[in-house]
Amino acid sequence: MFSRKALVAAVFVGLTGCGGSDSGSTQSPDSAQTPGSVVPESKPPAQVGDNKPLPEAEGEIKVLSNRSDLISGGDALVEIVADNIQEARILLNDEDVTGQFQLVEPNTIRGLVSGLGLGSNTLAALLDNRNSKLTASITNHPAGGPVFSGPQVQPWRCTNPEALDDQCNQEPEYRFKYVPADKLTRLFTEFDPSSPGLPEAFLPYDPENPPPEDDIAEITTDEGVTMPFIVRVETGVLNRDRYQVMSLFQPGENWSALSPQDQWNGKVLIHHGGNVGVSYGMGRPPNGDISGLTNGNELLLGDSISVALARGFITLSTAQANLGHNVNLVTAAESLMMAKEHIIEQYGPIRYTIGTGCSGGAIAQQHVANAYPGIYQGLIVQCSYPDVWTTATQFADYNLISNYLGLQMPESQEEMPGFFEGLLTNGLLPTQWPFIYGHLPINPVVSDMAFFPAAYPDQENCPGLQDGVAVYHPEERPEGLRCGLIDYMVNQFGKRPPEVWSVNEQILGKGFAGIPLDNEGVQYGLRALQEGLITGAQFLDLNREIGGFDVDINYQSERTRGDIEAIENAYRTGAINTAENLSGVPMIDLRGPDPGFAHDAFHSWQTRARIEEVQGHSLNHVIWYGAFPIAGDTVFTTEALLTMDQWLAGIESDERGDTLQNKLIRNRPAFARDRCLSLSGATAEWGVILPLTGGLLYPDPVIPGVDYALEPRLPAVTGEILDVATGQVCGLDLGALGLPSVVADPLSPITDEVVKAQELVVQTRFGMPRTVAGDDIRTLNNKCALKPVDPKDYPANILQGIYTPENFAQRVAEIFPNGVCDYSKPPVGQSPTVTWLKYGNDQEVEYGGEPLPANDEWVEGWASPAFDVNLSSNQ
């Protein structure tokens, strides 16, 4: 781990150079070895080397803030290690930048190198009286991007008045806020009946006119620094969109990468927003857990962001990593990479980074962690899905089934009679609908209203789009901007080949973005048929009439035909999350029952099944289930942050020569275990956290004296017993209760059925249309392999109208002349995710991406050595 003591010891100095002399005079050895001293200038650069090649010196130039070829914004935090480094001359493109460095340890200097030009730059350290040298190449990209995402979405609207150019760049802005000391009094004195709700947890802080010290809450960080709970909020623009960095701050004191304020513990928490969508203009960095629900409601609903700040974390969010604003996982990863680089350059090197977020915020984390490993060291996901594009298949199926059933809400009053007529004449009874959806019908209806509209390329109100830009319409404006999810990912999916072009594509002479999903061969309702829940006639009619989507997401009688290149690229780029690259990432998955908000618990176990398939275990994946809808419990995000922090700290301090994966397993805390209900929080070592108490008890109880009333705490073993006991509510396990196998095994036929009922009734672990059609829980088949129709799939059942399997199979084959899905074979186009792909430059796109050049070096500023972060492709 990097030396934080050395950073604290370093004093803040200006980054401009000191005056030099032609004589090349140097400091005495004693003064030159003082950490924090500025490296002196001497011989002018014009005289250095006399244009003769110099031999390579012993030592190393390390770019700390990013890979040296991924730097952006014109500066980089650099460390140089060599004997007598204090006597070196440092040149950037032959210009002397020695004064930008200072000694941080013997034979080690560190500096924020500014003035990088776009493209390749050469940094040289001239040693041994300029008779040898160290060199490094640094490739600098624009602060507005792109770095690796390829040509950017156009057009793009800057909404910040301070924008300096068409990349929306601006100087960072700062404001302050604080937590008031008397939270309890404010609950009563500031309650407004005309505007119900809790008072804000933070109040504005004016450094020029601060409140009395006694009015500000006091906090003690996890490293023992006690200070007023004052937070600085930095906002700015990177990658054409806004970012936000928050930290505990001592107003009036300096902070630099070479001399951070004492209260920062070197850790970062990245928080995300929810939903899924696209935008053609700037957004706002999200705040709050549960997709922002806790923002302003921290006392009632809890808030891991506030807890992280209190413990000494820096917190980060970017608009581009908010899936509801930007569905593109590559630009999301790019924005986080650039923002982490900014933190390292302005605040200092990072020990490790934790992600947190619900719904779209969970998808963003899992997407990015698998496709761009190293950005996070640990994940806290809540109300999660594993990715966008297998979920898109689920929601597309929902939409098609709802269309078949007539369940889509009419857009006008005149359409109401037809709506009710369709409900009564669709051929399936309402009691049968769940057997086709794999879920209660309310979730498909909600997903249609909340998520599916973002798929249409002809959205009337295209988010963020500036006035005057024509949006695509298939008849009126075929040349207009296509404002849908698929076209937003064109760099990843590629374009459709000419042989499948629609009329509009032929008119325009170019293909639209490839379709990364497909329903050819899908037998909707197959398991319902096999279990006697629908008739043969209903099964045949459903599959004959359900149809699919065309390239404009309009209904068609034919099934949706995905584009093979787009499907292959969806796996290759990580748009479909196959989880191969998560084995070194601890994950805590927080889940509650779904009352109909399209976030059922199925998805937590879907992710676990994918992890187990590629790893052979899921020891890095923990599921906490609770009674609070969607989120599990109002204390879960706080407990998960504390547990993840403990987990990563254990990995960080493990100095045994071993793989990250083994260190992860070895240092898994006792509290990082599957849980059903949150009673064991009362036994945690960090303090009593009771179920559903939000932020009322932690980090400091709102009611004075409560902390003493809750002492003494129950021993930790009590928590383990509680988790075993309450776990029986979610899934009966006689072995976990201590019953010997000689007793438990004979009862398994009964207990297995009980567990199935618990999964459905307690956990709302329902299925989806593809699992009803025969796919397994991983549901990775965005396009399935086909097989001939097999009579064995349709057992004879006179009551269902299946008199002979052979005759029924002939009728099925008429609907599926090319065959039906064979889920025993791998999905069409499936391949492992290739990490750290680059999609061209700002002018030319590389569809599907190409791996970044190999990088075997640890990127030291990104994480402690145990996490082995090199930001390199696995190919």
Side-chain angles (χ1 to χ4, degrees):
M1 184 177 133
F2 66 87
S3 173
R4 294 194 58 76
K5 290 183 179 179
L7 289 181
V8 173
V11 298
F12 179 80
V13 296
L15 295 181
T16 57
C18 301
S21 69
D22 292 340
S23 66
S25 61
T26 61
Q27 294 175 309
S28 68
D30 290 338
S31 63
Q33 293 293 326
T34 302
S37 59
V38 179
V39 179
E41 294 186 13
S42 57
K43 194 173 182 179
Q47 300 179 28
V48 171
D50 298 324
N51 297 320
K52 296 178 181 179
L54 297 178
E56 196 70 17
E58 292 290 330
E60 186 176 9
I61 297 178
K62 306 175 185 178
V63 179
L64 303 182
S65 50
N66 207 338
R67 274 183 52 152
S68 62
D69 56 348
L70 299 180
I71 289 293
S72 61
D75 51 16
L77 187 64
V78 176
E79 182 175 278
I80 306 177
V81 181
D83 289 341
N84 298 317
I85 189 64
Q86 71 279 358
E87 299 177 2
R89 311 307 322 126
I90 316 300
L91 306 180
L92 174 64
N93 301 327
D94 294 329
E95 296 290 330
D96 195 308
V97 293
T98 308
Q100 296 182 1
F101 285 82
Q102 68 183 50
L103 201 68
V104 293
E105 290 180 346
N107 298 319
T108 302
I109 60 174
R110 186 175 289 176
L112 181 63
V113 177
S114 59
L116 296 169
L118 291 179
S120 180
N121 297 261
T122 299
L123 187 69
L126 305 181
L127 302 164
D128 302 324
N129 200 26
R130 291 163 296 284
N131 290 315
S132 63
K133 67 177 180 178
L134 294 171
T135 59
S137 177
I138 301 176
T139 303
N140 176 50
H141 302 80
V147 179
F148 55 70
S149 63
Q152 296 177 308
V153 166
Q154 296 294 347
W156 187 259
R157 183 164 66 99
C158 298
T159 58
N160 53 332
E162 303 82 5
L164 302 174
D165 51 37
D166 59 6
Q167 293 290 84
C168 315
N169 290 309
Q170 70 165 77
E171 293 296 322
E173 297 178 337
Y174 304 94
R175 60 183 175 86
F176 296 86
K177 59 183 182 179
Y178 74 99
V179 174
D182 196 348
K183 302 176 188 177
L184 181 63
T185 301
R186 293 182 68 241
L187 280 176
F188 300 101
T189 60
E190 298 188 17
F191 179 76
D192 183 359
S194 64
S195 180
L198 295 176
E200 292 285 340
F202 289 88
L203 295 176
Y205 177 93
D206 182 0
E208 302 299 323
N209 186 27
E213 290 185 8
D214 292 345
D215 289 355
I216 303 174
E218 191 174 76
I219 200 70
T220 299
T221 70
D222 61 10
E223 293 187 341
V225 177
T226 299
M227 62 175 291
F229 201 159
I230 300 171
V231 172
R232 188 179 76 170
V233 182
E234 176 192 343
T235 54
V237 174
L238 290 169
N239 215 23
R240 303 191 304 171
D241 220 333
R242 294 181 176 92
Y243 71 86
Q244 173 186 280
V245 176
M246 295 193 292
S247 61
L248 282 179
F249 202 83
Q250 301 175 43
E253 299 294 327
N254 291 315
W255 187 327
S256 75
L258 303 182
S259 183
Q261 291 189 5
D262 292 346
Q263 69 275 5
W264 185 34
N265 57 21
K267 308 168 192 175
V268 174
L269 178 71
I270 302 176
H271 45 104
H272 302 78
N275 212 315
V276 61
V278 303
S279 181
Y280 289 83
M282 300 175 73
R284 296 285 178 184
N287 279 300
D289 291 326
I290 320 178
S291 299
L293 190 62
T294 65
N295 191 34
N297 298 297
E298 292 88 349
L299 284 179
L300 182 64
L301 298 178
D303 184 61
S304 65
I305 302 163
S306 302
V307 171
L309 288 167
R311 290 177 65 80
F313 281 68
I314 281 176
T315 69
L316 166 68
S317 64
T318 75
Q320 286 283 297
N322 177 8
L323 203 71
H325 171 67
N326 170 44
V327 72
N328 191 314
L329 77 96
V330 177
T331 49
E334 187 174 58
S335 78
L336 291 175
M337 179 196 72
M338 295 171 77
K340 284 191 67 173
E341 178 190 324
H342 173 75
I343 288 174
I344 295 164
E345 291 166 353
Q346 302 303 321
Y347 293 81
I350 297 170
R351 290 170 57 187
Y352 48 78
T353 300
I354 300 171
T356 186
C358 168
S359 187
I363 295 175
Q365 291 181 72
Q366 294 178 144
H367 260 315
V368 171
N370 191 55
Y372 291 90
I375 288 179
Y376 308 97
Q377 280 63 64
L379 307 182
I380 300 169
V381 297
Q382 193 171 37
C383 41
S384 66
Y385 304 90
D387 59 45
V388 171
W389 295 100
T390 55
T391 304
T393 300
Q394 173 188 355
F395 290 167
D397 287 342
Y398 279 167
N399 188 278
L400 290 172
I401 294 170
S402 295
N403 183 58
Y404 171 80
L405 295 174
L407 267 181
Q408 291 167 328
M409 294 301 294
E411 296 181 1
S412 67
Q413 192 171 5
E414 290 75 18
E415 296 175 351
M416 291 298 291
F419 169 70
F420 288 112
E421 180 182 354
L423 291 180
L424 298 173
T425 60
N426 62 47
L428 284 164
L429 298 172
T431 53
Q432 294 176 305
W433 297 346
F435 307 134
I436 308 301
Y437 285 122
H439 203 291
L440 300 176
I442 187 170
N443 261 21
V445 172
V446 170
S447 74
D448 264 3
M449 293 188 296
F451 307 125
F452 201 77
Y456 295 114
D458 55 350
Q459 295 182 63
E460 290 185 7
N461 298 308
C462 185
L465 194 63
Q466 60 196 34
D467 294 339
V469 177
V471 176
Y472 176 86
H473 187 280
E475 288 85 31
E476 299 173 9
R477 296 178 300 279
E479 75 289 348
L481 174 73
R482 290 175 63 84
C483 185
L485 298 178
I486 293 175
D487 292 275
Y488 211 72
M489 293 277 288
V490 66
N491 288 5
Q492 287 71 53
F493 297 150
K495 292 189 174 182
R496 286 156 47 88
E499 58 268 24
V500 300
W501 281 0
S502 65
V503 172
N504 281 340
E505 289 170 295
Q506 295 176 38
I507 292 172
L508 296 171
K510 63 179 182 180
F512 298 145
I515 301 173
L517 50 85
D518 181 289
N519 71 341
E520 288 190 305
V522 176
Q523 299 185 81
Y524 292 100
L526 177 62
R527 286 182 175 166
L529 174 71
Q530 294 169 341
E531 294 171 6
L533 301 171
I534 61 174
T535 68
Q538 289 172 324
F539 173 81
L540 293 171
D541 188 71
L542 170 64
N543 283 284
R544 185 185 302 112
E545 301 298 330
I546 194 167
F549 297 107
D550 65 14
V551 71
D552 292 332
I553 319 297
N554 292 322
Y555 296 119
Q556 61 180 20
S557 58
E558 298 83 13
R559 294 293 182 98
T560 306
R561 179 169 293 180
D563 298 296
I564 297 300
E565 182 182 26
I567 292 170
E568 291 173 345
N569 283 340
Y571 291 104
R572 167 186 167 82
T573 63
I576 294 175
N577 187 355
T578 44
E580 291 95 351
N581 307 302
L582 298 176
S583 62
V585 184
M587 304 168 64
I588 301 178
D589 192 323
L590 312 177
R591 180 67 69 176
D594 181 6
F597 298 152
H599 288 84
D600 61 87
F602 167 86
H603 295 290
S604 295
W605 282 268
Q606 179 188 30
T607 299
R608 173 166 287 184
R610 295 184 186 185
I611 290 172
E612 289 176 341
E613 177 66 21
V614 294
Q615 294 180 187
H617 68 85
S618 56
L619 294 174
N620 60 320
H621 187 253
V622 176
I623 298 175
W624 291 354
Y625 185 86
F628 190 79
I630 302 296
D633 200 293
T634 60
V635 299
F636 267 178
T637 53
T638 291
E639 289 185 311
L641 173 67
L642 299 172
T643 303
M644 183 60 70
D645 190 15
Q646 186 181 50
W647 200 342
L648 296 178
I651 295 170
E652 178 188 49
S653 62
D654 190 337
E655 297 181 352
R656 282 169 282 188
D658 208 344
T659 65
L660 172 60
Q661 290 76 10
N662 287 341
K663 289 182 179 182
L664 183 157
I665 295 168
R666 185 163 55 238
N667 291 282
R668 174 171 160 161
F671 213 67
R673 57 182 178 261
D674 284 1
R675 300 166 68 192
C676 176
L677 307 181
S678 54
L679 300 181
S680 59
T683 68
E685 63 185 70
W686 40 72
V688 175
I689 301 180
L690 299 178
L692 302 174
T693 55
L696 295 174
L697 296 179
Y698 193 92
D700 292 309
V702 171
I703 303 174
V706 168
D707 49 341
Y708 298 106
L710 295 172
E711 296 287 353
R713 297 175 196 158
L714 296 172
V717 68
T718 306
E720 296 181 34
I721 295 171
L722 280 171
D723 283 340
V724 170
T726 57
Q728 308 307 307
V729 176
C730 290
L732 187 62
D733 185 348
L734 299 182
L737 289 175
L739 293 181
S741 59
V742 69
V743 176
D745 290 349
L747 294 175
S748 61
I750 299 173
T751 58
D752 287 349
E753 293 304 312
V754 172
V755 169
K756 289 179 182 178
Q758 288 172 312
E759 290 175 355
L760 287 174
V761 177
V762 178
Q763 294 182 324
T764 62
R765 280 171 62 179
F766 303 120
M768 53 195 288
R770 294 293 169 102
T771 59
V772 177
D775 202 355
D776 64 49
I777 187 174
R778 294 171 300 149
T779 53
L780 285 168
N781 281 273
N782 269 33
K783 180 175 179 62
C784 65
L786 299 179
K787 66 176 183 178
V789 174
D790 187 350
K792 295 178 182 177
D793 289 336
Y794 319 103
N797 188 322
I798 296 175
L799 296 178
Q800 289 180 278
I802 304 176
Y803 300 105
T804 66
E806 291 74 18
N807 287 343
F808 191 81
Q810 290 180 2
R811 299 177 68 184
V812 174
E814 293 172 2
I815 299 172
F816 298 100
N818 297 322
V820 295
C821 286
D822 184 353
Y823 293 112
S824 68
K825 296 180 179 177
V828 173
Q830 182 182 18
S831 64
T833 298
V834 179
T835 60
W836 287 94
L837 291 174
K838 181 176 182 178
Y839 296 85
N841 54 41
D842 60 338
Q843 298 296 321
E844 296 182 3
V845 62
E846 183 72 48
Y847 292 120
E850 285 296 326
L852 286 169
N855 179 50
D856 297 328
E857 299 298 323
W858 162 45
V859 184
E860 292 192 24
W862 272 54
S864 297
F867 299 104
D868 194 26
V869 173
N870 61 16
L871 311 184
S872 187
S873 177
N874 54 7
Q875 282 197 358

